[in-house]
Amino acid sequence: MSNDKDYNKVSVLVVGAGPAGLATAIQLKIEKPDIDVCVIEKSADLGNHTLSGAVLEAEPLHTLLDSAVPGWPDSDAAKDVLANVVDKDDVMFLLGKKLAFNISFTIEWARAFELGFGYMIHKGDYTVSISKLTKWMGRIAKDLGAEVLTGFAAQDIILDESSETAIGVKLVDQGLDKEGNKQPNFVEGEIINADFVVLAEGCDGLVTEKFVEKANLQRQSPQLYSVGVKELIKVSPEQYNKFTSGRVVHAMGYPIWTPIIGPAMFGGGIVYAGDQDHLSVGMIVGADWKYYDFNVQDALTNFKNHSFINQFIDGGTVVEAGAKMIPEGGYYAIPRDPETASIGKANVMILGDSAGFASMLKIKGLHNAIDSGMQAAKAIAETLAEPEKVAVKYTEMVEQSNIMEEMKLARKIRQTVTNFGPLQGMPLSVFGNLLPKFKVEKDCEAMTIARYRLKPDREFDKDTFTALAATQHREEEPSHLTILDSAICSTKCTPMFNSPCITFCPAGVYETVHDEVLPANPSNCLHCKTCQRKCPFDNIRWSVAEGGGGPRYKKM
Ligand code: SF4
Ligand code: SF4
């Protein structure tokens, strides 16, 4: 590490400076001000790799800030980050390119009877830029005395000989060339030793998944994902005022599922207000789509062109863009130790999206990420002398918290929709836990030779999209994307599915070069990890790039 201070041994090491990891650092500094907490983050600056919906349920953040920052509601940061409070909550059903039906009343009814999607009400929540929220939380953590280090990419977790307890986390090597040769500026990735390791990397975390495998944690059901793409659009003051700053629109139906003639995919579109004259427009699609030529950006294009949406953004300028995955497998996909059922093991805890704490009933997980960070901090504070007991303590606390209440309530939803499709599955899922637990396959197994029949006329401009994500990597570093067996591409996947990674990667990383499919443009990568979970032959591995590489989101 380049820093003068010695970080080779810390008490608490948090991997990932997103809301979950930073909530851990903040809460821990409240509980135990003298403890040394180090948060490492792979992005160049705080908030650069965080992207979300992002409708934030207020309570966990308020609870955290009430203890950490006296008078926080009057601070400039609070007024900026939490400026938009939801006062209008529209759920639309889009039919074809022009028709839109407001079906919010069905959600209200469902709420009255405490059924399924009745929990999808956001009034009183905030619509936030998670990038700005993360920056703010990072400043609070630092002010309280936590070390928050950006540009530090974690590559692996190191366990002791018994594979029971973590010794620490290894950082990625820096200064290799494309072939993996050491350059004069080579720096070997150090191991940061820690008593407690907190894994808060977000969805499909690299170190988390390595830990799940090494420590033999088990999921009752495979993790399922959605892929979200989002644009921040500068619109006219008239359009912004027409939309209003406190409004959230969730849309289902066109262009990802339409009755009878299809397509049939789970997910939907979202529109909400950002800063003055800025609207966020996103499309989220279950990664179990079966169309080999489908790309979530095509669905976003169709969504933006729908008359109902277009009225708010027509003539606007996209100022930022990005992509990410969302963990949707729910309760049954939480990785647990088979012996103790702990979410983690011994001195390692798994938080937020890394654990899969997104609520499918509320279509959000940011509040649970923050809450899990607070629970992790409290668990550490209670097991300071016995770090090997922290995963069990943390799990006890999570089980008693609102997080697990939500996860249990929503535990059948995604599996039901995946089995029956959106048209039958979504109404069925209203019956919630009265339903049986349906078996699901991994997302990568869903690909078929069916085509997405609503392909837009023009190919999506991925170059501009990537430029708007401001993604950067050192051009000479080794590719952090690996195709395991290129023969599978040429003999199976290309003839059957026409190399879908070329289509579905939102950043245009994959190309055919001299008849071979390659991650030809790794420096464009947005770190969304879609390719790792959607390649139909499970033939791609995403690893971490050198610290500081990746997108540079500012207001996503
Ligand atoms: Fe197909 Fe995966 Fe090869 Fe791409 S990497 S061509 S998706 S097998
Ligand atoms: Fe996402 Fe993979 Fe494309 Fe990178 S290469 S942007 S991780 S799909």
Side-chain angles (χ1 to χ4, degrees):
M1 292 186 189
S2 53
N3 218 302
D4 289 345
K5 191 167 169 184
D6 177 16
Y7 294 107
N8 289 337
K9 176 79 177 77
V10 294
S11 297
V12 181
L13 178 64
V14 181
V15 184
L22 292 170
T24 307
I26 293 169
Q27 184 70 40
L28 198 48
K29 279 292 179 184
I30 299 165
E31 304 271 336
K32 300 281 172 191
D34 295 333
I35 199 167
D36 58 322
V37 187
C38 179
V39 186
I40 54 169
E41 165 57 43
K42 67 183 168 69
S43 66
D45 198 3
L46 281 176
N48 279 180
H49 288 189
T50 46
L51 181 152
S52 174
V55 181
L56 168 66
E57 199 170 293
E59 200 181 322
L61 182 70
H62 284 194
T63 307
L64 181 70
L65 295 177
D66 285 347
S67 332
V69 190
W72 67 267
D74 297 324
S75 68
D76 290 344
K79 286 176 187 160
D80 178 32
V81 178
L82 305 179
N84 295 344
V85 181
V86 180
D87 58 17
K88 188 163 168 31
D89 210 355
D90 288 327
V91 179
M92 309 298 297
F93 181 77
L94 307 184
L95 190 61
K97 296 177 182 174
K98 290 191 164 52
L99 295 176
F101 303 94
N102 193 322
I103 57 167
S104 307
F105 65 93
T106 60
I107 308 290
E108 302 276 354
W109 284 350
R111 182 57 176 252
F113 292 103
E114 297 192 359
L115 290 172
F117 286 101
Y119 292 87
M120 210 178 88
I121 285 180
H122 309 290
K123 281 198 185 106
D125 294 348
Y126 300 110
T127 56
V128 295
S129 151
I130 189 178
S131 307
K132 291 206 299 191
L133 174 70
T134 301
K135 259 189 187 304
W136 180 30
M137 291 180 72
R139 279 200 301 273
I140 296 169
K142 285 181 189 175
D143 288 349
L144 290 170
E147 295 288 348
V148 183
L149 307 172
T150 53
F152 286 74
Q155 186 182 42
D156 205 351
I157 189 160
I158 311 297
L159 304 185
D160 68 4
E161 282 172 7
S162 67
S163 295
E164 291 291 318
T165 309
I167 296 168
V169 164
K170 184 178 186 318
L171 302 178
V172 74
D173 295 341
Q174 311 252 13
L176 294 169
D177 69 11
K178 276 188 196 304
E179 282 72 43
N181 302 312
K182 293 176 186 173
Q183 297 301 288
N185 60 344
F186 174 77
V187 182
E188 186 173 354
E190 289 177 38
I191 294 174
I192 307 179
N193 295 285
D195 298 325
F196 297 88
V197 177
V198 180
L199 298 176
E201 301 172 280
C203 184
D204 200 14
L206 178 76
V207 178
T208 305
E209 292 308 314
K210 285 185 178 175
F211 177 66
V212 166
E213 207 176 315
K214 285 182 176 182
N216 192 29
L217 303 191
Q218 303 288 325
R219 295 178 163 102
Q220 290 184 57
S221 182
Q223 185 57 279
L224 302 171
Y225 300 92
S226 266
V227 181
V229 292
K230 178 176 158 185
E231 292 180 346
L232 185 65
I233 304 178
K234 185 165 187 344
V235 299
S236 69
E238 294 73 29
Q239 286 169 314
Y240 187 83
N241 292 337
K242 184 176 175 186
F243 186 83
T244 71
S245 64
R247 186 178 185 185
V248 172
V249 171
H250 282 92
M252 8 183 148
Y254 179 88
I256 59 169
W257 66 277
T258 55
I260 306 169
I261 48 174
M265 290 177 272
F266 177 65
I270 183 166
V271 187
Y272 62 91
D275 290 351
Q276 186 64 38
D277 300 342
H278 288 75
L279 296 181
S280 287
V281 182
M283 174 56 63
I284 300 156
V285 181
D288 57 341
W289 71 74
K290 61 182 180 181
Y291 309 101
Y292 74 90
D293 61 344
F294 179 72
N295 171 349
V296 183
Q297 289 156 320
D298 287 343
L300 179 69
T301 302
N302 288 335
F303 179 62
K304 284 167 62 182
N305 287 339
H306 188 282
S307 313
F308 176 75
I309 304 298
N310 194 253
Q311 62 178 316
F312 301 114
I313 57 172
D314 188 31
T317 307
V318 181
V319 294
E320 209 172 337
K324 73 162 284 189
M325 287 204 305
I326 301 136
E328 294 192 343
Y331 181 81
Y332 296 118
I334 296 170
R336 291 179 186 264
D337 176 32
E339 278 173 33
T340 62
S342 58
I343 305 165
K345 190 169 184 175
N347 61 339
V348 183
M349 294 169 283
I350 307 178
L351 276 59
D353 273 9
S354 290
F357 292 154
S359 163
M360 290 310 295
L361 277 177
K362 295 184 168 177
I363 324 276
K364 53 192 169 194
L366 201 39
H367 62 300
N368 284 343
I370 293 171
D371 200 351
S372 68
M374 291 158 64
Q375 305 303 336
K378 289 176 189 170
I380 293 170
E382 285 199 22
T383 56
L384 274 183
E386 297 174 298
E388 70 284 356
K389 294 193 174 163
V390 77
V392 169
K393 176 56 71 181
Y394 164 68
T395 306
E396 277 171 24
M397 290 175 161
V398 169
E399 294 287 354
Q400 286 161 17
S401 74
N402 185 57
I403 302 171
M404 210 46 89
E405 197 177 313
E406 282 188 10
M407 298 305 292
K408 284 181 180 166
L409 211 54
R411 66 179 181 257
K412 306 278 176 68
I413 289 192
R414 189 61 159 75
Q415 284 80 359
T416 304
V417 179
T418 296
N419 268 274
F420 291 90
L423 191 59
Q424 292 87 7
M426 284 177 66
L428 245 186
S429 67
V430 163
F431 295 102
N433 291 337
L434 297 174
L435 295 163
K437 174 179 173 265
F438 296 107
K439 260 188 96 172
V440 287
E441 299 171 330
K442 290 181 186 169
D443 291 321
C444 65
E445 291 168 26
M447 194 74 84
T448 69
I449 55 168
R451 303 194 71 158
Y452 177 57
R453 61 170 201 87
L454 299 176
K455 224 47 190 157
D457 300 336
R458 289 224 323 258
E459 202 168 311
F460 190 87
D461 181 355
K462 291 184 184 178
D463 289 342
T464 303
F465 189 87
T466 310
L468 289 166
T471 193
Q472 286 176 20
H473 294 85
R474 190 171 64 82
E475 285 295 334
E476 291 310 310
E477 71 180 283
S479 173
H480 62 287
L481 294 145
T482 307
I483 293 181
L484 300 177
D485 184 350
S486 61
I488 290 176
C489 307
S490 56
T491 60
K492 294 185 178 170
C493 187
T494 304
M496 275 171 89
F497 301 127
N498 199 23
S499 322
C501 55
I502 297 175
T503 307
F504 66 62
C505 167
V509 167
Y510 296 89
E511 282 181 13
T512 304
V513 181
H514 304 304
D515 293 332
E516 189 180 352
V517 177
L518 295 172
N521 311 301
S523 58
N524 283 0
C525 180
L526 302 175
H527 296 200
C528 70
K529 303 168 201 159
T530 304
C531 50
Q532 171 161 270
R533 297 298 171 187
K534 192 56 192 169
C535 165
F537 294 94
D538 191 15
N539 197 21
I540 296 177
R541 292 294 174 271
W542 184 95
S543 188
V544 74
E546 283 185 6
R552 295 185 179 214
Y553 302 136
K554 295 274 181 282
K555 292 187 173 180
M556 295 305 272

